[in-house]
Amino acid sequence: DHVIPPVPVRQWVISVPKRLRGMLADRPRAVAALTKIFLDEIERLLCGAAGGASDPATPASARPRLGGISFLHRFGSALNHHVHLHACVTDGGFMPPAEQAVSDAPPAFLPARPITHVHLAALTERVRRRVICWFRRSRLLDAAAATDMLAWENSGFSIDASVRITLIDRDVPSYFQSLEHLLRYCARPPFALERLSVIRGPAGRITQVRYVL
């Protein structure tokens, strides 16, 4: 209610090759690098059509910026170990007011262009190369391993951006396409209480705990 403004929000999810997941599991620095690279490239895509977002000559104060919240997940739906990243991002950028505008003028929201498979594939490739380069510079991968990963036909990097919350759906109570539902999903714990049950023996004592997928 007080953090995300009334604009469309899109969920972005990235998973990385198994070779890198173990290193993400116990290296906060690697998680921070992945998060920064991922959000940088999302911003580049969403704000590029707004003008100046990717032009080095444009001052940073005059470039549109997006807003986002990231969530690190260390698990999959089967309680398996699977480190990946979710991000809830404004589906567009905010342009700061012009210098001649009044000091309390709000930033203008610039809606993002529709995202196609071509845009998603290009973004995935840029993220893949930057992440592998970071792991190489940080000496978590040697040169041979980095070169090998860049040559993989199936890169192991996967990005999904299919979930989008519109302004019409945003604040509908208990709706599966509302913003609250999306944020609860992203902030959920590894297991769901409604999937847990207990099995009792003849004496009434709990003998097993069952988790249903």
Side-chain angles (χ1 to χ4, degrees):
D1 292 337
H2 304 289
V3 175
I4 301 179
V7 298
V9 173
R10 187 180 297 273
Q11 178 189 219
W12 294 79
V13 185
I14 182 172
S15 59
V16 301
K18 292 180 179 178
R19 179 181 286 187
L20 304 182
R21 290 178 198 170
M23 290 182 271
L24 290 172
D26 59 1
R27 291 177 173 83
R29 206 162 53 90
V31 172
L34 173 65
T35 304
K36 183 179 186 307
I37 291 170
F38 189 36
L39 292 178
D40 277 353
E41 291 299 337
I42 293 173
E43 184 173 70
R44 175 180 174 184
L45 172 63
L46 296 185
C47 298
S54 57
D55 184 359
T58 304
S61 60
R63 300 179 192 177
R65 302 300 308 272
L66 56 75
I69 305 171
S70 64
F71 302 83
L72 178 67
H73 285 199
R74 300 180 180 273
F75 53 88
S77 59
L79 300 183
N80 55 309
H81 184 253
H82 175 33
V83 180
H84 61 289
L85 197 68
H86 291 245
C88 295
V89 177
T90 56
D91 204 29
F94 295 89
M95 180 65 77
E99 291 184 1
Q100 62 270 23
V102 294
S103 58
D104 59 348
F109 180 69
L110 307 175
R113 60 187 175 184
I115 298 172
T116 67
H117 292 296
V118 174
H119 295 137
L120 206 57
L123 181 142
T124 303
E125 179 62 16
R126 290 195 300 269
V127 170
R128 178 178 82 102
R129 291 189 172 276
R130 287 185 61 184
V131 168
I132 292 175
C133 181
W134 185 91
F135 273 83
R136 172 69 183 94
R137 290 199 311 269
S138 301
R139 299 184 178 180
L140 297 175
L141 289 175
D142 59 26
T147 301
D148 178 51
M149 290 189 69
L150 289 172
W152 287 357
E153 184 175 352
N154 181 2
S155 71
F157 283 82
S158 175
I159 295 177
D160 179 80
S162 59
V163 176
R164 182 178 184 270
I165 308 300
T166 67
L167 285 180
I168 296 175
D169 299 329
R170 172 192 163 103
D171 298 317
V172 180
S174 303
Y175 184 40
F176 75 96
Q177 289 187 346
S178 69
L179 180 62
E180 180 179 358
H181 187 277
L182 173 61
L183 293 172
R184 286 183 179 274
Y185 171 78
C186 290
R188 72 193 190 280
F191 57 86
L193 290 178
E194 60 268 22
R195 294 185 178 186
L196 283 172
S197 60
V198 297
I199 301 173
R200 298 181 182 274
R205 298 187 64 181
I206 296 175
T207 58
Q208 289 181 311
V209 177
R210 174 181 293 168
Y211 190 81
V212 181
L213 301 182

